[in-house]
Each structure stands twice: as C-alpha cells, then as structure tokens.
Amino acid sequence: MTAEIVSVGTELLLGQIVDTHAPTMARILADCGIACTHRQTVGDNLPRAVAALNDALRRADVVITIGGLGPTQDDLTREAIAEALGDTLESVPEELEKLRKLFALRKFHWVETNARQAMKPTSGRMIDNPNGTAPGLICEKDGKVVIALPGPRNEFDPMAGGAVREFLCRLEGGQVIHSRILRICGMGESLVEEKIRPLMEGLNPTVAPYAHPGEVHLRITARAASREIADRMIEPVEQKIRAILGDHVYGADTTSLEEAIIDILRERDQNVSVAESITGGLLGSRLTSVAGSGDAFLGGVISYAVSVKEAVLGVPHEVLERFGPVSPECAEEMALAAKRITGSDYAVSLTGNAGPTSDADGKPVGLVYIAVASPRGVTVEEVGLGGSRDDIRTRAAFTALTNLRSELLSVGV
Amino acid sequence: MTAEIVSVGTELLLGQIVDTHAPTMARILADCGIACTHRQTVGDNLPRAVAALNDALRRADVVITIGGLGPTQDDLTREAIAEALGDTLESVPEELEKLRKLFALRKFHWVETNARQAMKPTSGRMIDNPNGTAPGLICEKDGKVVIALPGPRNEFDPMAGGAVREFLCRLEGGQVIHSRILRICGMGESLVEEKIRPLMEGLNPTVAPYAHPGEVHLRITARAASREIADRMIEPVEQKIRAILGDHVYGADTTSLEEAIIDILRERDQNVSVAESITGGLLGSRLTSVAGSGDAFLGGVISYAVSVKEAVLGVPHEVLERFGPVSPECAEEMALAAKRITGSDYAVSLTGNAGPTSDADGKPVGLVYIAVASPRGVTVEEVGLGGSRDDIRTRAAFTALTNLRSELLSVGV
C-alpha cells in the first residue's frame, strides 16, 4: 500500500513557512507500515489543488492533505477533494450546530463563511477536532482513501497522531510497527550510545537514539503481527537498557521530565516552589503544564529585577551587593527564600545571563547558577550554556528539572 | 514565468529530515519575480524521479532539483534530468581533472564512482561548487530550464543564493516579489477578513490572512521591478488596513506581541509585573523572552496554590473564602497585589481552570479571569477558552498580553 502527502498553502510555496507537518505525517505512515512514495505542495488555488489530488490518486492508494480546511476564501481543500473524487459538498447539520454553539460560547462574532467548515464531500465522514473549528475528513471511494487534516499545529498534531494514525494502521492489516521511547536525562547522546551499543545491533527490535534539547530518547521499535506481540518483543530490550542506564531513564513514551517530577512529589505528598530570574517563569510554566500539578507545585517568585529579588523574595541586600545577582550565593539565597516564603518541601532557583550581551556585572552570556533547596540543605550548580537566548533559557529550565529530580531521588521518601 | 521545485531524497519522504532547502529556494524565486506554483518530493528512485521531472516540465518553465548529486549509488538526479530532457550524460574532462586533484590534495581515497560527479547532461553546463565535490547544473532545452543543486547545506546555500539566484533574476528581467506582514491581535481571522475583504480582491499587491494561535497575520505581497517600488506599492495598502483595523495591528513582520509591549514600556520608561495562577509563569516567560526586557519587566509571583495567593501575594483571606480563587475578585486582588509588592506601573494577573476537569469549586475548564492594573485603576475580563490544557494556557497568556497592550494604549504616556 502506498501513500502520498499533499500540503496545501501558498505560504508554503512562497517559502514563508517550513513544512514540518508532512515529515510528521510521513513518520506516522512509516509506523503504520505504509510507504510514502511522493509528496506535493500546492498553493491556495483550486484548479492546481484538484490537479495535484488527481495526480496523487493516480499514483497512490491513500492521499493525505494537510491544510486549507479553515473558514476563509482561500481555504479550499474541501472543495478540491470533492471535485477530485467526483463528489459534491453537503452540509452536516450537527456540525453546523456545534460550530454555532462554540462561537456563542467563546463570544466570537459569527461570520457566514464559518458554515463552510460544517461541509463534507458526499463520500466522506468527519474527524472530530476538539482543538479547533475545522473537522478533519476521511473519504473512501473507488478503492482510494483521501484524508484531510487541518494546518494549525495544535489541531494537526493530535488528529494525525490520534484518529488518523489509528485508521491508517488498521488499513495495512497484517504487520504493525510499534515503538516504545525511553527518555533519558543527565547524559549526552554519544555516552548513551556508547553504553548501549551492543543493543543497537539488533534488527527486530531495533534501538535508535535521538537527541533532543537537554535529553536523549531511545526508540525501541518492533515489527510483529500484533501490538501485543511487539510489546512482548520490546519488553526485554527495555529492561536491559534500564539496567544499564539506571536512574538516567526518567520516563517512557510521552512522559515529560516535569511529569516524572510531579509524579514523584505527588506520590510522596510533597511539593516544590521556584524562584526564577533568567527563565522568567519558564520553569513554573513547565511544571504547571502537567495536569494535576496543583498537588505538588505551590508557585514561587519571578524575581527578574534585582529589586524583586530583594523586596519580594528577601535575598539579603549584602549578598546582592557583594556577589551580584548572577552568583552561586544569590542562587542559594533565592532557593532558600522560595522554600521559606511558600513553605514548600523543595525549591529550585535559577539566575544567569541569557544574553544577547554580557550583563552589567560583566557576567558572560550562558552562565547560569541553579540551586536546589531540599529538606537536607541546598546545592548550587554552575553551568555554561550555548545557543540563542531562547536555547539558553530552555536548557537552563531543563537542567533545573534534572537537578531537582536527582535531589528527589537522592533524598528519597 | 513559473517554477517548480523537486526535492530528491528518501530521508525526506520518510520524514527523517525536514526540508528547509525548498523554502529557501522558494524565497529566492519570489525575490526574482518567478512564481513557484508547485513543489514535489521524491525518493532516491530513478523512474519516480524521472516521472516527477516530466510532470514538472509539463507545468513549469523552470524546474529546480535539490539533492541527489553526490557520488553514491542512490544519487541519481543527474541521470533523471538527462532522461527527462532526452539528453545523454557526458563526462567533462576538466571537471574530472579538478575532482582527482581535490581528492589528492585532501588525501581522500579515490573511488571510481566519484567520476559520476564530473558528468553532465548534454544540454547542460556546470555551476562551480567551491564547498563540495558535486557541481550544480543549469540545463536549457526547448524553452525549458532545469537547475540542479546539491543537498548538503554548506554547498546548497551559497550556490542557491549566488550563481543560481543571479541566473534566475536575469531570466525574469528584474521583477521582484516582496511581502510585508501586519500582525493583528484581539480579532479573529474571519472578522479580519470581513473587514478588509475589498482589499483582498487586489491582484498586485495581494492581501491574504493567516491564522496563528491568538493572532492573525495579514500578508501584503507586491510584484514590481524593484524592492523599492514594491515597498511603495505596499505602503498605501498597509495604511488602508491600519485605518480599518486601528490598534488591533500591533506590529509588522517579525515583531511579537510581547516585543511590542516591551517596546511601549521602554519608550515610556515604565514597567510591568505579573501574578500568575493558571499560566504558572508562562506570561513572565514570554515577556522575558524579549532581549532587553529587564528594563520593563520586574517579575512577579507565581501564585499557583491558594496559600501562595494569600501568604506571598497578599490576596485577602475573605476574598479567597467568599469568591474562590477562580473569580474576578481574586484576579483583581492579584493584579493590585503584584503592582503593590513589586512597585510596578502596570500589573497583569491570570486565574482560571486549564482542566482537564472542573476544579474544586466546580468552575468549568477554560474559564479564565484576566486583570490589568494600571495607574488609572484595574479592569477584569472573563474569557472562555477552548482546546487542550496547553491551548487554554497559551491563549490565556496571549489574551493577557492583548489586554495589557490595550490598557497601555488607552492610558497613554
């Protein structure tokens, strides 16, 4: 079975945005054992989109479109699919009702063109889109399948990885390709690879490392007749990796580092607070991205200005005066202060210079101090981080999470 | 004149790498006034590559291939171009000599397949590649042009931006395509479109809306003999849009909303603080993502737990008791408290329920209160936001920025 992806959008053709959805879709197809043999990109132009779909339908069994499902005049993927399949468009009353209710709820102004999003080709059915107004489409006709996905990332990702992935994997019947990802922190990619090299020589399951900012993912992939059999093949390989890498494996599959930390804290009925300077709230934002984090994260202080470090957090004036805000002494005081004023069991602080230039005290770009206060005391780490302002802040937050987890595991219950 | 880009590489089709060369090439085409109307991606497969080139030659005047020019067996773009053009491949003795010398100089082992890189289709000529072993190609035949570029970034970028750009701009005799993006907040895509619809009917410049989370971008694109003339054509359209949408236009091109706000505050020598519950630091993180934000952002409190709202921020116990933490009253107290304890000119607070379930007080998912305290008082807005936990938090932060900017503009200097 072969598939072809058609990305729709003039902004793609003009090179104004980079197409990252098509690669995501291609990886999902590969996971489902379907070969993607061709990709096309067309603009918001009906005859060209129809011609591209006709070419794709001639070459492939499954055609997947991305983008052009919105409410405006230049969103015409729905029309193009209907024309290419020889269908007409029909309105789905329940969808229209749902749309109108959504607009009313959010107090958005209703414009009649929105009704187009409740239309579907006659041979199609809709895929629910809980994150936006345009549903996706699955059309089956004359032995061909056309699937339409919306363009906005927060709508595309869950739909592609959810309902569409499930549908595609069922299409290919027989074999499934199933993966498990082990997530590793506090160890670089080459060291991980060195430690598990013998396991990387297996053919089924395969083991492959992927570097991510601040962490490494190991993907264990098995090909088998069913998901259950694949799981049973993956299991012993996972156990070997865990035995080799120990506590560096912080989670599996979609577990994030902040989730792993919130889980530990909730289990122990303990909590954490933050005092953030360089990251300006990024660490708190990551911790609170976890549903249920309210049981384990109290909050803290964004002490970006020196005045807030002193007045709100209570860092002693002498410390700021003598060592400066970017110093191990200040980081330590910040963590202790956050723990004290929030009454938390643990506290993490960050202070540093994210650039783009050296700060007033001449501290270099990328220098960051991270302190962790715990029931047994306080530790400070100095790190030198590279990259853009954004990179430095992201890596600083990741290192803070890694250090907090490490302290949690050391202290124990 | 129209062009089509054909990217060649199985790793692209499998989604293992993201194609950033094609957008680069598309922008170069636009700059030279050549409309890119289609893009294709094919794997390292000769018949499929030839078919893709034939399709492209049928549709476009200029076909540009990227990748597949190297020395290995799966590099077959050269062969595919020759076949699609009805050419044969011939060896270029000077190129072969140059290659052999290069290998000797770098003490690389010479493998006979390297000689393929000294071959070209009979109707083609070579483009010098000072950064690698594979030269590029320009073939002109029967009124069509085929240009081949190598895949490695350090070879592609200088060749595309140098010799190829020059050749293409000469082809179209001077025309450039130039865009300006206006960034709009506080108004949905369909309403923006309704208000500026007459302007969207223009053919040169064109105006097109693009929806982004929480904001809308309007792209004005002109085609003209020079960048300066294009700018002069865009100017009156921009002024008309600004007149219609007023303060909803917060910036142009790459300016973010947080940058626009930091700019206003810095200009006025004023500053802002935050009190974040539902967003847990996301708003502070966005404001501090702007380089130089230290002049305008003091920090604030992440008052995630009720205890922190009361003890650190100083929200009166009675307010929390009587109205609950997700209430307009609490939002108002949070903003006033942040302003008071940090001594800032403005303060923004957010409290709400990001889900996934109703909170202890039974407040529904997506209900958020946003307060802005300013020198003239405090205002609170209630919003109902949809989507995932992440979406709700992202949109809440965006709405808070929108409301802060709106208050800044209302208060004035």
Side-chain angles (χ1 to χ4, degrees):
Chain A
M1 184 172 287
T2 61
E4 179 158 343
I5 299 170
V6 180
S7 302
V8 185
T10 300
E11 69 280 22
L12 290 168
L13 268 191
L14 287 173
Q16 287 159 350
I17 55 173
V18 171
D19 188 353
T20 58
H21 289 343
T24 301
M25 197 62 240
R27 289 192 299 272
I28 291 171
L29 286 165
D31 281 355
C32 298
I34 300 173
C36 175
T37 50
H38 208 114
R39 260 166 50 193
Q40 295 185 77
T41 308
V42 289
D44 304 316
N45 174 302
L46 189 59
R48 289 206 187 108
V50 173
L53 285 171
N54 281 329
D55 285 348
L57 283 166
R58 190 167 36 75
R59 286 186 288 244
D61 307 302
V62 180
V63 177
I64 299 174
T65 70
I66 304 172
L69 290 181
T72 69
Q73 275 183 346
D74 57 7
D75 291 307
L76 34 75
T77 302
R78 222 176 267 105
E79 285 74 6
I81 293 173
E83 194 171 329
L85 289 175
D87 276 9
T88 54
L89 284 175
E90 58 188 16
S91 184
V92 181
E94 312 86 83
E95 276 300 324
L96 188 57
E97 183 59 23
K98 211 155 75 178
L99 260 183
R100 285 190 174 277
K101 274 193 182 149
L102 189 72
F103 270 70
L105 182 75
R106 299 205 193 152
K107 295 177 183 153
F108 285 172
H109 182 69
W110 175 263
V111 181
E112 212 36 61
T113 51
N114 279 308
R116 296 177 58 223
Q117 297 176 101
M119 318 255 316
K120 66 165 192 64
T122 36
S123 68
R125 63 179 192 274
M126 278 161 167
I127 313 172
D128 192 39
N129 180 0
N131 305 305
T133 51
L137 295 170
I138 297 180
C139 309
E140 295 182 84
K141 192 172 183 180
D142 307 331
K144 301 281 185 178
V145 177
V146 179
I147 298 175
L149 287 151
R153 172 165 314 280
N154 63 320
E155 303 176 33
F156 171 84
D157 281 342
M159 197 183 288
V164 169
R165 182 193 199 103
E166 222 169 89
F167 176 84
L168 290 170
C169 279
R170 270 203 307 271
L171 268 189
E172 199 35 302
Q175 293 258 306
V176 301
I177 298 178
H178 180 56
S179 288
R180 185 160 174 82
I181 295 165
L182 294 182
R183 302 171 70 127
I184 292 140
C185 66
M187 196 184 266
E189 189 188 13
S190 48
L191 186 55
V192 169
E193 192 176 310
E194 194 175 282
K195 284 185 179 282
I196 59 137
R197 186 156 299 143
L199 293 171
M200 288 174 63
E201 279 155 22
L203 292 177
N204 190 19
T206 57
V207 178
Y210 297 93
H212 291 261
E215 58 180 308
V216 176
H217 295 178
L218 279 179
R219 181 184 290 269
I220 315 169
T221 306
R223 181 186 286 264
S226 76
R227 168 88 182 247
E228 289 65 35
I229 298 174
D231 269 330
R232 282 204 299 276
M233 291 162 68
I234 288 169
E235 174 69 18
V237 179
E238 174 175 350
Q239 290 317 321
K240 277 182 203 158
I241 294 172
R242 285 183 180 270
I244 294 167
L245 301 180
D247 278 347
H248 288 286
V249 180
Y250 73 78
D253 295 330
T254 58
T255 314
S256 64
L257 184 53
E258 44 272 36
E259 257 178 290
I261 289 168
I262 296 289
D263 278 353
I264 296 172
L265 287 166
R266 287 179 69 168
E267 220 165 78
R268 298 183 184 175
D269 201 14
Q270 290 188 319
N271 51 43
V272 66
S273 65
V274 296
E276 302 190 51
S277 184
I278 182 171
T279 41
L282 181 58
L283 181 59
S285 172
R286 284 193 60 170
L287 286 165
T288 55
S289 71
V290 181
S293 51
D295 297 334
F297 177 71
L298 296 184
V301 176
I302 303 173
S303 52
Y304 206 61
V306 174
S307 63
V308 174
K309 289 183 181 71
E310 194 173 338
V312 182
L313 206 47
V315 175
H317 183 75
E318 313 80 66
V319 169
L320 290 164
E321 189 76 3
R322 187 160 163 210
F323 305 104
V326 179
S327 65
E329 291 80 5
C330 181
E332 189 174 316
E333 290 290 346
M334 284 169 65
L336 290 170
K339 187 167 177 287
R340 185 175 60 243
I341 66 175
T342 64
S344 61
D345 302 301
Y346 290 79
V348 188
S349 73
L350 299 111
T351 181
N353 180 13
T357 55
S358 295
D359 66 9
D361 291 348
K363 298 290 163 68
V365 175
L367 176 67
V368 183
Y369 294 97
I370 298 168
V372 179
S374 78
R376 67 172 185 182
V378 58
T379 56
V380 190
E381 190 191 7
E382 175 188 309
V383 286
L385 301 171
S388 66
R389 181 177 173 87
D390 227 35
D391 293 336
I392 290 169
R393 287 157 41 93
T394 305
R395 287 175 185 157
F398 200 93
T399 308
L401 290 170
T402 304
N403 293 1
L404 169 59
R405 177 172 172 276
S406 159
E407 181 68 10
L408 280 167
L409 296 182
S410 299
V411 171
V413 185
Chain B
M1 184 171 291
T2 62
E4 178 158 344
I5 299 170
V6 180
S7 302
V8 185
T10 300
E11 71 281 20
L12 291 168
L13 268 192
L14 287 174
Q16 288 163 347
I17 55 172
V18 170
D19 188 353
T20 58
H21 289 344
T24 302
M25 197 62 239
R27 289 192 299 272
I28 292 170
L29 285 165
D31 281 354
C32 297
I34 299 174
C36 176
T37 49
H38 208 113
R39 260 166 50 193
Q40 294 184 78
T41 307
V42 287
D44 304 317
N45 174 302
L46 189 58
R48 289 209 186 106
V50 172
L53 285 171
N54 280 329
D55 284 348
L57 284 165
R58 190 168 35 76
R59 287 186 288 243
D61 306 303
V62 180
V63 176
I64 298 174
T65 69
I66 303 172
L69 289 181
T72 69
Q73 275 187 342
D74 58 6
D75 290 307
L76 33 76
T77 303
R78 222 176 268 105
E79 285 75 6
I81 293 173
E83 192 172 328
L85 288 175
D87 276 11
T88 53
L89 284 175
E90 58 187 18
S91 184
V92 181
E94 314 85 85
E95 276 299 325
L96 188 57
E97 184 58 23
K98 212 157 73 180
L99 259 183
R100 285 190 174 277
K101 274 190 182 152
L102 188 71
F103 269 70
L105 184 72
R106 298 204 193 151
K107 295 180 184 147
F108 286 171
H109 181 68
W110 176 262
V111 181
E112 211 37 59
T113 51
N114 278 308
R116 295 175 60 220
Q117 297 176 100
M119 315 231 3
K120 66 166 192 62
T122 37
S123 68
R125 62 181 191 275
M126 279 163 165
I127 313 171
D128 192 39
N129 180 2
N131 305 303
T133 51
L137 296 169
I138 298 180
C139 310
E140 294 182 84
K141 192 171 182 180
D142 305 331
K144 301 281 185 178
V145 177
V146 179
I147 298 174
L149 287 152
R153 173 166 313 279
N154 65 321
E155 303 176 32
F156 171 85
D157 280 344
M159 196 184 289
V164 170
R165 181 191 199 105
E166 223 170 87
F167 175 85
L168 290 169
C169 278
R170 270 203 308 272
L171 270 188
E172 197 36 301
Q175 289 260 304
V176 300
I177 297 178
H178 180 58
S179 288
R180 186 161 175 83
I181 296 166
L182 295 182
R183 301 171 72 126
I184 293 140
C185 65
M187 196 183 265
E189 189 188 12
S190 48
L191 186 56
V192 169
E193 185 175 313
E194 193 175 278
K195 284 186 178 283
I196 59 139
R197 185 157 299 145
L199 293 171
M200 287 175 63
E201 278 154 21
L203 293 177
N204 189 18
T206 57
V207 177
Y210 299 95
H212 293 260
E215 58 181 307
V216 176
H217 295 177
L218 278 178
R219 179 178 295 273
I220 315 168
T221 305
R223 176 189 292 265
S226 74
R227 166 90 180 245
E228 290 64 37
I229 298 173
D231 268 330
R232 282 205 298 277
M233 290 163 69
I234 289 170
E235 175 71 17
V237 179
E238 174 176 347
Q239 291 317 322
K240 274 181 205 156
I241 293 172
R242 285 183 181 270
I244 294 167
L245 301 180
D247 280 345
H248 288 286
V249 180
Y250 73 77
D253 295 330
T254 59
T255 315
S256 65
L257 184 52
E258 44 270 40
E259 257 179 291
I261 288 168
I262 296 288
D263 278 353
I264 296 172
L265 287 166
R266 288 180 69 167
E267 217 165 80
R268 296 182 186 175
D269 201 14
Q270 290 186 319
N271 51 44
V272 67
S273 65
V274 296
E276 302 190 51
S277 183
I278 181 170
T279 42
L282 181 57
L283 182 59
S285 174
R286 284 194 60 170
L287 286 164
T288 55
S289 70
V290 182
S293 49
D295 297 336
F297 177 71
L298 297 184
V301 176
I302 303 174
S303 53
Y304 207 59
V306 175
S307 63
V308 175
K309 289 184 180 71
E310 194 172 337
V312 182
L313 206 47
V315 175
H317 183 75
E318 313 80 66
V319 168
L320 290 165
E321 189 75 4
R322 186 160 164 210
F323 305 104
V326 179
S327 64
E329 291 81 5
C330 181
E332 188 174 318
E333 290 290 347
M334 284 169 65
L336 290 170
K339 186 167 179 286
R340 185 175 60 241
I341 66 176
T342 65
S344 61
D345 302 300
Y346 289 80
V348 188
S349 73
L350 299 110
T351 181
N353 181 12
T357 54
S358 295
D359 67 8
D361 292 347
K363 298 290 164 68
V365 175
L367 176 68
V368 184
Y369 294 96
I370 299 168
V372 179
S374 79
R376 67 172 182 181
V378 57
T379 56
V380 190
E381 191 192 7
E382 174 188 312
V383 286
L385 301 172
S388 66
R389 182 176 170 88
D390 225 36
D391 293 336
I392 290 169
R393 286 157 43 93
T394 304
R395 287 175 185 159
F398 200 94
T399 308
L401 291 170
T402 304
N403 293 1
L404 168 60
R405 177 172 170 276
S406 159
E407 181 69 10
L408 280 166
L409 296 182
S410 300
V411 171
V413 185

